[in-house]
């Protein structure tokens, strides 16, 4: 089951969360070979200059789209796709450890 959050701005970017993807799906994506990133609890403003796909090994996040009080919540065991161009604030309530991959060669500030 996928949950989406559409921002009400003109760009209509949405975060897609795939809950508990199968082991075969994770293997197909090659998740274990992706780099890892982690952060402690806190609030982190992020701007995604490239589309990011990430798989959370642990943690819990509420991602608030810039200029909106709506959020999408995801955590350990979730596969998350964040669109290029999205600005949001990650409200991390439980320390995050994730594998991630960018779909573009451009750098980003995650």
């Amino acid at each position: 089951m996928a949950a989406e959050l559409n921002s009400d701005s003109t760009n209509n970017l949405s975060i897609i969360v795939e809950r508990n993807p199968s082991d075969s799906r994770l293997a197909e994506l090659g998740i274990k070979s992706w780099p890892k990133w982690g952060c402690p609890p806190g609030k982190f403003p992020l701007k995604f200059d490239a589309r990011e796909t990430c798989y959370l090994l642990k943690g819990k996040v509420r991602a608030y789209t810039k200029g909106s009080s709506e959020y999408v919540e995801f955590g350990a065991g979730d596969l998350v796709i964040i669109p290029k161009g999205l600005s949001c604030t990650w409200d991390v309530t439980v320390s995050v450890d994730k594998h991630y991959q960018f779909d573009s060669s451009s750098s980003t500030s995650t």
Side-chain angles (χ1 to χ4, degrees), residues 36-67:
K36 284 176 87 176
W37 180 84
C39 69
K43 292 190 178 184
F44 305 92
L46 301 170
K47 166 106 167 86
F48 292 85
D49 297 324
R51 179 180 158 181
E52 179 182 335
T53 303
C54 60
Y55 177 71
L56 275 75
L57 300 168
K58 66 177 187 178
K60 190 166 208 165
V61 177
R62 284 184 177 175
Y64 292 86
T65 302
K66 187 174 182 179

CSV table of all heavy atoms in Angstrom, one decimal, residues 36-67:
chain,number,residue,atom,x,y,z
A,36,LYS,N,24.9,4.3,3.0
A,36,LYS,CA,24.1,4.5,4.2
A,36,LYS,C,24.2,5.9,4.7
A,36,LYS,O,25.2,6.5,4.5
A,36,LYS,CB,24.5,3.5,5.3
A,36,LYS,CG,24.0,2.0,5.0
A,36,LYS,CD,24.5,1.1,6.0
A,36,LYS,CE,23.5,1.0,7.2
A,36,LYS,NZ,23.9,0.0,8.2
A,37,TRP,N,23.2,6.3,5.4
A,37,TRP,CA,23.1,7.7,6.0
A,37,TRP,C,22.3,7.6,7.3
A,37,TRP,O,21.3,6.8,7.3
A,37,TRP,CB,22.5,8.7,5.0
A,37,TRP,CG,22.5,10.1,5.6
A,37,TRP,CD1,23.5,11.0,5.5
A,37,TRP,CD2,21.3,10.7,6.1
A,37,TRP,NE1,23.0,12.2,6.1
A,37,TRP,CE2,21.7,12.0,6.5
A,37,TRP,CE3,20.0,10.3,6.4
A,37,TRP,CZ2,20.8,13.0,7.0
A,37,TRP,CZ3,19.2,11.2,7.0
A,37,TRP,CH2,19.6,12.5,7.3
A,38,GLY,N,22.6,8.3,8.3
A,38,GLY,CA,21.9,8.3,9.5
A,38,GLY,C,21.9,9.7,10.1
A,38,GLY,O,22.7,10.6,9.8
A,39,CYS,N,20.9,9.9,11.0
A,39,CYS,CA,20.9,11.2,11.8
A,39,CYS,C,20.2,11.0,13.1
A,39,CYS,O,19.4,10.0,13.2
A,39,CYS,CB,20.2,12.3,10.9
A,39,CYS,SG,18.4,12.0,10.7
A,40,PRO,N,20.5,11.8,14.1
A,40,PRO,CA,19.8,11.7,15.4
A,40,PRO,C,18.4,12.4,15.3
A,40,PRO,O,18.1,13.1,14.3
A,40,PRO,CB,20.8,12.5,16.3
A,40,PRO,CG,21.3,13.6,15.4
A,40,PRO,CD,21.5,12.9,14.0
A,41,PRO,N,17.6,12.3,16.4
A,41,PRO,CA,16.4,13.0,16.4
A,41,PRO,C,16.6,14.5,16.3
A,41,PRO,O,17.6,15.0,16.7
A,41,PRO,CB,15.8,12.7,17.8
A,41,PRO,CG,16.4,11.3,18.1
A,41,PRO,CD,17.8,11.4,17.5
A,42,GLY,N,15.7,15.2,15.6
A,42,GLY,CA,15.7,16.6,15.5
A,42,GLY,C,15.0,17.0,14.2
A,42,GLY,O,14.3,16.2,13.6
A,43,LYS,N,15.0,18.3,13.9
A,43,LYS,CA,14.3,18.8,12.7
A,43,LYS,C,15.4,19.3,11.7
A,43,LYS,O,16.3,20.0,12.0
A,43,LYS,CB,13.4,20.0,13.1
A,43,LYS,CG,12.2,19.5,13.9
A,43,LYS,CD,11.2,20.6,14.0
A,43,LYS,CE,10.0,20.0,14.8
A,43,LYS,NZ,8.9,21.0,15.0
A,44,PHE,N,15.2,18.8,10.5
A,44,PHE,CA,16.2,19.0,9.4
A,44,PHE,C,15.5,19.5,8.1
A,44,PHE,O,14.8,18.8,7.5
A,44,PHE,CB,17.0,17.7,9.1
A,44,PHE,CG,17.6,17.1,10.3
A,44,PHE,CD1,16.9,16.1,11.0
A,44,PHE,CD2,18.9,17.5,10.7
A,44,PHE,CE1,17.5,15.6,12.1
A,44,PHE,CE2,19.5,16.9,11.8
A,44,PHE,CZ,18.8,16.0,12.5
A,45,PRO,N,15.7,20.8,7.8
A,45,PRO,CA,15.2,21.3,6.5
A,45,PRO,C,16.0,20.7,5.3
A,45,PRO,O,17.3,20.8,5.4
A,45,PRO,CB,15.3,22.8,6.6
A,45,PRO,CG,16.4,23.1,7.6
A,45,PRO,CD,16.4,21.8,8.5
A,46,LEU,N,15.4,20.1,4.4
A,46,LEU,CA,16.0,19.5,3.3
A,46,LEU,C,15.5,19.9,1.9
A,46,LEU,O,14.3,20.2,1.8
A,46,LEU,CB,15.9,17.9,3.4
A,46,LEU,CG,16.4,17.3,4.6
A,46,LEU,CD1,16.0,15.8,4.7
A,46,LEU,CD2,17.9,17.4,4.7
A,47,LYS,N,16.3,20.0,0.9
A,47,LYS,CA,15.9,20.3,-0.4
A,47,LYS,C,16.5,19.2,-1.3
A,47,LYS,O,17.7,19.0,-1.2
A,47,LYS,CB,16.5,21.7,-0.9
A,47,LYS,CG,16.4,22.0,-2.4
A,47,LYS,CD,15.3,22.9,-2.7
A,47,LYS,CE,15.3,23.4,-4.1
A,47,LYS,NZ,14.7,22.6,-5.1
A,48,PHE,N,15.7,18.6,-2.1
A,48,PHE,CA,16.1,17.4,-2.9
A,48,PHE,C,16.4,17.9,-4.3
A,48,PHE,O,15.5,18.2,-5.0
A,48,PHE,CB,15.1,16.3,-2.8
A,48,PHE,CG,15.1,15.7,-1.4
A,48,PHE,CD1,14.3,16.2,-0.4
A,48,PHE,CD2,15.9,14.6,-1.1
A,48,PHE,CE1,14.3,15.7,0.8
A,48,PHE,CE2,15.9,14.0,0.1
A,48,PHE,CZ,15.1,14.6,1.1
A,49,ASP,N,17.7,17.9,-4.7
A,49,ASP,CA,18.1,18.4,-6.0
A,49,ASP,C,18.1,17.2,-7.0
A,49,ASP,O,18.3,17.4,-8.2
A,49,ASP,CB,19.5,19.0,-6.0
A,49,ASP,CG,19.5,20.2,-5.1
A,49,ASP,OD1,18.5,21.0,-5.1
A,49,ASP,OD2,20.5,20.4,-4.4
A,50,ALA,N,17.8,16.0,-6.5
A,50,ALA,CA,17.7,14.8,-7.3
A,50,ALA,C,16.6,13.9,-6.6
A,50,ALA,O,16.4,14.0,-5.4
A,50,ALA,CB,19.0,14.1,-7.4
A,51,ARG,N,16.0,13.1,-7.4
A,51,ARG,CA,15.0,12.1,-6.9
A,51,ARG,C,15.8,11.1,-6.0
A,51,ARG,O,16.8,10.6,-6.4
A,51,ARG,CB,14.3,11.4,-8.0
A,51,ARG,CG,13.3,10.4,-7.5
A,51,ARG,CD,12.7,9.7,-8.7
A,51,ARG,NE,12.1,8.4,-8.2
A,51,ARG,CZ,11.5,7.6,-9.0
A,51,ARG,NH1,11.3,7.8,-10.3
A,51,ARG,NH2,11.1,6.4,-8.5
A,52,GLU,N,15.3,10.9,-4.8
A,52,GLU,CA,15.9,10.0,-3.9
A,52,GLU,C,15.0,8.8,-3.6
A,52,GLU,O,13.8,9.0,-3.3
A,52,GLU,CB,16.3,10.6,-2.5
A,52,GLU,CG,17.0,9.7,-1.6
A,52,GLU,CD,17.3,10.2,-0.2
A,52,GLU,OE1,17.5,11.5,-0.1
A,52,GLU,OE2,17.4,9.5,0.7
A,53,THR,N,15.5,7.6,-3.6
A,53,THR,CA,14.9,6.4,-3.1
A,53,THR,C,15.6,6.0,-1.9
A,53,THR,O,16.9,5.9,-2.0
A,53,THR,CB,14.8,5.3,-4.2
A,53,THR,OG1,14.2,5.8,-5.4
A,53,THR,CG2,14.0,4.1,-3.7
A,54,CYS,N,14.9,5.8,-0.8
A,54,CYS,CA,15.6,5.3,0.4
A,54,CYS,C,14.8,4.2,1.1
A,54,CYS,O,13.6,4.1,0.9
A,54,CYS,CB,16.0,6.5,1.3
A,54,CYS,SG,14.5,7.4,2.0
A,55,TYR,N,15.6,3.4,1.8
A,55,TYR,CA,15.0,2.3,2.6
A,55,TYR,C,15.4,2.5,4.0
A,55,TYR,O,16.6,2.5,4.3
A,55,TYR,CB,15.4,0.9,2.0
A,55,TYR,CG,14.8,-0.2,2.9
A,55,TYR,CD1,13.5,-0.5,2.8
A,55,TYR,CD2,15.7,-1.0,3.7
A,55,TYR,CE1,13.0,-1.6,3.6
A,55,TYR,CE2,15.2,-2.0,4.4
A,55,TYR,CZ,13.8,-2.3,4.4
A,55,TYR,OH,13.3,-3.3,5.1
A,56,LEU,N,14.5,2.7,5.0
A,56,LEU,CA,14.8,2.9,6.3
A,56,LEU,C,15.0,1.6,7.1
A,56,LEU,O,14.1,0.8,7.1
A,56,LEU,CB,13.7,3.7,7.0
A,56,LEU,CG,13.9,5.3,6.8
A,56,LEU,CD1,13.5,5.7,5.4
A,56,LEU,CD2,13.1,6.0,7.9
A,57,LEU,N,16.2,1.5,7.7
A,57,LEU,CA,16.5,0.3,8.5
A,57,LEU,C,16.0,0.5,9.9
A,57,LEU,O,15.6,-0.4,10.6
A,57,LEU,CB,18.0,0.1,8.5
A,57,LEU,CG,18.7,-0.2,7.2
A,57,LEU,CD1,20.2,-0.1,7.3
A,57,LEU,CD2,18.3,-1.5,6.6
A,58,LYS,N,16.0,1.8,10.3
A,58,LYS,CA,15.5,2.1,11.7
A,58,LYS,C,15.1,3.6,11.6
A,58,LYS,O,15.5,4.3,10.8
A,58,LYS,CB,16.5,1.8,12.8
A,58,LYS,CG,17.7,2.6,12.8
A,58,LYS,CD,18.6,2.3,14.0
A,58,LYS,CE,19.7,3.3,14.1
A,58,LYS,NZ,20.6,3.0,15.3
A,59,GLY,N,14.3,4.0,12.6
A,59,GLY,CA,13.9,5.4,12.7
A,59,GLY,C,12.5,5.6,12.5
A,59,GLY,O,11.7,4.8,12.1
A,60,LYS,N,12.1,6.9,12.7
A,60,LYS,CA,10.7,7.4,12.4
A,60,LYS,C,10.8,8.8,12.0
A,60,LYS,O,11.5,9.6,12.7
A,60,LYS,CB,9.9,7.2,13.7
A,60,LYS,CG,8.4,7.4,13.4
A,60,LYS,CD,7.6,6.9,14.5
A,60,LYS,CE,6.2,6.5,14.0
A,60,LYS,NZ,5.4,5.7,14.9
A,61,VAL,N,10.1,9.2,10.9
A,61,VAL,CA,10.2,10.5,10.4
A,61,VAL,C,8.8,11.0,10.0
A,61,VAL,O,8.0,10.3,9.5
A,61,VAL,CB,11.1,10.6,9.1
A,61,VAL,CG1,11.1,11.9,8.5
A,61,VAL,CG2,12.5,10.0,9.4
A,62,ARG,N,8.6,12.3,10.3
A,62,ARG,CA,7.5,13.0,9.7
A,62,ARG,C,8.1,14.1,8.8
A,62,ARG,O,8.8,14.9,9.2
A,62,ARG,CB,6.6,13.7,10.8
A,62,ARG,CG,5.7,12.8,11.6
A,62,ARG,CD,4.9,13.6,12.5
A,62,ARG,NE,4.0,12.7,13.2
A,62,ARG,CZ,3.2,13.0,14.2
A,62,ARG,NH1,3.2,14.3,14.6
A,62,ARG,NH2,2.4,12.1,14.8
A,63,ALA,N,7.7,14.0,7.5
A,63,ALA,CA,8.2,14.9,6.5
A,63,ALA,C,7.2,15.9,6.2
A,63,ALA,O,6.1,15.6,5.6
A,63,ALA,CB,8.7,14.2,5.2
A,64,TYR,N,7.4,17.2,6.5
A,64,TYR,CA,6.5,18.3,6.3
A,64,TYR,C,6.9,19.0,5.0
A,64,TYR,O,8.0,19.5,4.9
A,64,TYR,CB,6.5,19.3,7.4
A,64,TYR,CG,5.9,18.7,8.7
A,64,TYR,CD1,6.7,18.0,9.6
A,64,TYR,CD2,4.6,19.0,9.0
A,64,TYR,CE1,6.1,17.5,10.8
A,64,TYR,CE2,4.0,18.5,10.2
A,64,TYR,CZ,4.8,17.8,11.1
A,64,TYR,OH,4.3,17.3,12.3
A,65,THR,N,6.0,19.0,4.0
A,65,THR,CA,6.3,19.8,2.8
A,65,THR,C,6.4,21.3,3.1
A,65,THR,O,5.6,21.8,3.9
A,65,THR,CB,5.3,19.5,1.7
A,65,THR,OG1,5.2,18.1,1.5
A,65,THR,CG2,5.6,20.2,0.4
A,66,LYS,N,7.4,21.9,2.5
A,66,LYS,CA,7.6,23.4,2.8
A,66,LYS,C,6.3,24.1,2.5
A,66,LYS,O,5.6,23.9,1.5
A,66,LYS,CB,8.7,23.9,1.9
A,66,LYS,CG,9.1,25.3,2.2
A,66,LYS,CD,10.3,25.7,1.4
A,66,LYS,CE,10.7,27.2,1.7
A,66,LYS,NZ,11.9,27.6,1.0
A,67,GLY,N,5.9,25.0,3.5
A,67,GLY,CA,4.7,25.8,3.3
A,67,GLY,C,3.4,25.1,3.6
A,67,GLY,O,2.3,25.6,3.3
